[in-house]
Amino acid sequence: MEAPRICDTKHRTVELEPGVHWWCSCGLSGHQPFCDGSHKGTGLPPQKIVVDKPTVVCLCNCKHTKTPPYCDGSHAELAGG
């Protein structure tokens, strides 16, 4: 399994519409923070997000969160504090 690529050292706030969404866990997607299939062969599958009403969330872009797919502040350690 490869280590995830850090896309950004800050989270991304998005409004998700009702339905299924796929968060990129590998960092290779060209459509961050969402999966575009670039993870194939990395061992880092996307994470499914299901919402039943419009919902604002902070999604992790550093890919090192301990609460995937949501930001937990881990990017602060990666950015040097």
Side-chain angles (χ1 to χ4, degrees):
M1 178 177 356
E2 295 181 23
R5 186 180 126 229
I6 299 169
C7 296
D8 203 342
T9 53
K10 59 183 180 283
H11 67 268
R12 172 108 179 261
T13 302
V14 295
E15 181 173 349
L16 299 177
E17 295 298 320
V20 176
H21 306 273
W22 294 93
W23 173 75
C24 169
S25 67
C26 71
L28 300 175
S29 174
H31 187 61
Q32 291 296 331
F34 302 104
C35 177
D36 70 0
S38 296
H39 64 276
K40 289 180 176 50
T42 66
L44 298 167
Q47 176 140 0
K48 186 177 187 178
I49 306 168
V50 180
V51 295
D52 59 1
K53 62 182 179 182
T55 305
V56 175
V57 295
C58 293
L59 297 177
C60 174
N61 262 340
C62 77
K63 312 305 177 183
H64 287 78
T65 181
K66 292 167 188 63
T67 58
Y70 307 106
C71 176
D72 69 356
S74 293
H75 59 269
E77 293 174 25
L78 299 172

